[in-house]
């Protein structure tokens, strides 16, 4: 990998004002069981190089999965041609905030290499999980899966950075779908939309206890078939940690990506209401709300040693006790404001140019507990596990649905309700937050389907959150 990177930089260095490259090798294993049958056992591997460079203040990027000398030279030539063409129509020239180049290594801490665990053991776990769900007769569709990612990423720049990083991800989860003559309900574990994933080894899968939770989650899906519809009106809402994590992702993570703020993302997924004139003065939330982008969290999918510009992992405060205080930035966007990069540039593999992406965007824990929040609620709902989401292109108006809802009456969780929706306007919603559970209930969640960019990139990101309470929220049934 080092020789490949040096060849690319040697070819580019005397013809570009700046150049960097990433040589990436990735292995992905996926195992799926559905209704008692093994339906997927697949392992894929790929490798390639992505070259990014500046000519006359404009970017060029090219990539290739051919790593012989002639192909590397041709990839650099293609990036140079793109940069020269871009320079003819550029606005102001690109400037990069400074960074100290390092020669360094990083590796995900792993107790048990998931790729060394026998396939039979993985299949057996999923079949046991499936069998546990099958004990509930109303559950007609059962699906369980595991995924493992191993990646080596070598970064080199014309400024002298040489960074070798190795990452390991382990993920798993299941869905139980119950049906009746006129209703269908799904419950997921540990999270919805496929699985929960972290940067760790097989030990993370064991900690999930998939088979130990199969029957319980399936029974909840069955119970939802006959549960009352969620009541409508203004009421107190308590979100579980996984739903709070998605709320953070959509309504704080995306709008604090500085390229969105500057207009670079408008065509695909919108811009942001969190404009620079608000920085340092805008009341995003209540004093209970502190949100950080932290690339140093143990096991986070957004955890690394250095980003794809060679900027070190760091912790950036986005919202400080309610006050909007920071962005996720790149070297280019940070230079617009005379600041240093917050180290959030990442690419989905070797074939994509890096973009500003969330690292681990976390709601910091508070000083209460879920039970105390419920006890202090006269009329409301406790909502668990995302079912649907919708948010406008400025990240202001939103509506989310959850799989599970529990009615809260006079400080007690009384009965299950189904098809709950809640909606709001981002700053009004976060200003209504009056409690966040403490460190004992805080958990780091993994999101594996964060989309951004054209052509599209799907990034793995992390979100830490604990149950949290919001007053006077509009709730209804789907």
């Amino acid at each position: 990998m080092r020789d490949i990177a040096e060849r690319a930089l040697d070819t580019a260095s005397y013809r570009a004002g700046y150049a960097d490259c990433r040589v990436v090798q990735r292995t992905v294993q996926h195992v799926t069981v559905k209704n008692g049958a093994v339906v997927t056992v697949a392992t894929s591997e790929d490798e390639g190089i992505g070259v990014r460079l500046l000519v006359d203040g404009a970017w060029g990027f090219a990539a290739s999965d051919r790593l012989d000398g002639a192909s590397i030279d041709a990839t650099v030539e293609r990036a140079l041609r793109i940069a020269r063409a871009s320079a003819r129509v550029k606005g102001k020239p690109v400037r990069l905030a400074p960074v100290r180049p390092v020669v360094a290594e990083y590796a995900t801490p792993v107790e048990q290499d998931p790729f060394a665990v026998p396939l039979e053991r993985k299949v057996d776990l999923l079949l046991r999980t499936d069998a546990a769900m099958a004990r509930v007769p109303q559950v007609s569709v059962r699906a369980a899966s595991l995924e493992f990612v191993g990646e080596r990423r070598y970064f080199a720049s014309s400024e002298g950075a040489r960074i070798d990083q190795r990452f390991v991800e382990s993920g798993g989860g299941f869905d139980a779908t119950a049906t009746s003559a006129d209703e269908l309900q799904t419950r997921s574990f540990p999270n919805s939309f496929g699985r929960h994933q972290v940067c760790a080894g097989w030990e993370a899968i064991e900690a999930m206890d998939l088979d130990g939770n199969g029957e319980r989650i399936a029974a909840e899906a069955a119970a939802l078939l006959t549960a009352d519809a969620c009541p409508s009106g203004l009421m107190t809402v308590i979100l579980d940690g996984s739903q709070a994590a998605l709320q953070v992702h959509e309504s704080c993570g995306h709008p604090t990506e500085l390229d969105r703020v500057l207009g670079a993302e408008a065509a695909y997924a919108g811009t942001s209401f969190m404009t620079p004139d608000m920085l340092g003065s805008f009341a995003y939330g209540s004093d209970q709300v502190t949100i950080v982008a932290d690339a140093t969290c143990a096991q986070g999918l957004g955890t690394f040693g250095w980003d794809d510009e060679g900027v070190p992992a760091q912790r950036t405060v986005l919202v400080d006790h309610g006050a909007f205080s920071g962005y996720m930035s790149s070297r280019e966007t940070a230079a617009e404001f005379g600041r240093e990069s917050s180290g959030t540039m990442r690419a989905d593999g070797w074939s994509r140019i890096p973009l500003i992406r969330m690292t681990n965007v976390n709601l910091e824990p508070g000083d209460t507990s879920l039970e105390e929040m419920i006890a202090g609620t006269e009329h409301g709902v406790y909502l668990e596990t995302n079912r649907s989401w919708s948010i406008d292109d400025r990240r202001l108006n939103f509506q989310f649905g959850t799989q599970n809802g529990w009615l809260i009456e006079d400080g007690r969780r009384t009965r299950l309700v189904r098809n709950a929706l809640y909606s709001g306007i981002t700053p009004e919603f976060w200003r209504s937050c009056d409690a966040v559970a403490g460190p004992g209930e805080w958990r780091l969640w993994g999101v594996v389907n964060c989309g951004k960019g054209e052509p599209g990139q799907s990034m793995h990101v992390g979100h830490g959150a604990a149950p949290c309470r919001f007053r006077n929220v509009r709730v209804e049934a789907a």
Side-chain angles (χ1 to χ4, degrees), residues 217-228:
I217 294 299
E220 288 185 2
L224 284 167
L225 294 174
T226 56
D228 291 337

Side-chain angles (χ1 to χ4, degrees), residues 65-396:
D65 60 354
R66 298 183 177 182
L67 300 178
D68 60 278
S71 296
I72 295 168
D73 293 345
T75 302
V76 174
E77 290 292 342
R78 190 161 63 253
L80 287 165
R81 290 197 302 272
I82 292 169
R84 294 190 192 106
S86 299
R88 294 176 187 154
V89 294
K90 72 175 186 290
K92 54 186 176 182
V94 171
R95 294 184 300 113
L96 298 179
V99 62
R100 183 176 67 87
V102 298
V103 178
E105 296 182 353
Y106 172 85
T108 300
V110 170
E111 295 177 19
Q112 299 180 65
D113 179 2
F115 293 97
V117 174
L119 180 60
E120 293 80 2
R121 188 174 172 187
K122 297 168 182 174
V123 170
D124 178 66
L125 171 61
L126 295 182
L127 289 173
R128 284 188 281 112
T129 302
D130 180 272
M133 289 188 280
R135 296 184 194 118
V136 180
Q138 297 95 326
V139 171
S140 56
V141 180
R142 311 178 304 274
S145 67
L146 297 171
E147 182 174 280
F148 306 97
V149 180
E151 182 177 287
R152 184 180 176 191
R153 184 174 297 221
Y154 186 81
F155 173 86
S157 78
S158 58
E159 296 173 330
R162 300 292 187 273
I163 302 171
D164 194 353
Q165 301 190 87
R166 298 171 189 262
F167 304 97
V168 175
E169 297 180 11
S170 298
F174 64 83
D175 298 309
T177 300
T179 56
S180 64
D182 57 357
E183 188 64 44
L184 179 151
Q185 292 289 332
T186 298
R187 283 290 286 128
S188 306
F189 181 87
N191 206 354
S192 53
F193 306 107
R195 62 192 179 276
H196 168 49
Q197 196 146 308
V198 293
C199 276
W202 178 255
E203 64 277 3
I205 302 300
E206 292 181 333
M208 291 180 192
D209 191 22
L210 298 178
D211 54 332
N213 283 280
E215 185 174 3
R216 177 181 68 84
I217 294 299
E220 288 185 2
L224 284 167
L225 294 174
T226 56
D228 291 337
C230 182
S232 299
L234 289 177
M235 66 188 73
T236 297
V237 166
I238 301 175
L239 302 182
D240 83 320
S242 68
Q243 181 60 33
L246 183 66
Q247 184 77 50
V248 168
H249 178 98
E250 299 292 351
S251 64
C252 185
H254 278 310
T256 55
E257 296 166 339
L258 191 49
D259 55 349
R260 284 182 184 271
V261 176
L262 298 177
E265 185 65 8
Y268 181 70
T271 57
S272 170
F273 77 95
M274 298 176 76
T275 52
D277 58 296
M278 297 177 173
L279 194 62
S281 60
F282 181 67
Y284 173 90
S286 72
D287 61 3
Q288 299 293 314
V289 179
T290 293
I291 300 175
V292 302
D294 189 350
T296 68
C297 292
Q299 296 196 343
L301 288 185
T303 296
F304 47 79
W306 291 264
D307 76 352
D308 285 343
E309 292 189 308
V311 177
Q314 55 199 270
R315 180 181 186 272
T316 300
V317 179
L318 306 175
V319 176
D320 186 4
H321 293 91
F324 171 37
S325 58
Y327 287 114
M328 290 176 282
S329 63
S330 62
R331 294 183 66 186
E332 179 182 355
T333 57
E336 294 274 327
F337 298 93
R339 300 187 177 189
E340 294 185 355
S341 170
S342 66
T344 58
M345 282 286 273
R346 295 195 290 158
D348 175 17
W350 53 267
S351 63
R352 296 290 185 261
I353 193 166
L355 303 172
I356 296 173
R357 303 307 300 260
M358 284 178 257
T359 54
N360 305 300
V361 180
N362 305 331
L363 174 65
E364 295 285 85
D367 57 4
T368 186
S369 70
L370 173 59
E371 291 309 313
E372 288 173 328
M373 283 186 269
I374 291 173
T377 299
E378 182 178 350
H379 174 60
V381 285
Y382 171 55
L383 303 178
E384 299 177 296
T385 315
N386 185 258
R387 179 178 181 176
S388 64
W389 74 93
S390 176
I391 192 164
D392 71 18
D393 62 0
R394 295 183 65 219
R395 303 283 153 171
L396 266 174

Side-chain angles (χ1 to χ4, degrees), residues 26 268 347-349 352 355 357 447-453 455-461:
R26 178 184 287 173
Y268 181 70
D348 175 17
R352 296 290 185 261
L355 303 172
R357 303 307 300 260
V447 174
V448 296
N449 60 348
C450 178
K452 187 177 179 181
Q457 300 188 36
S458 183
M459 185 58 64
H460 293 187
V461 303

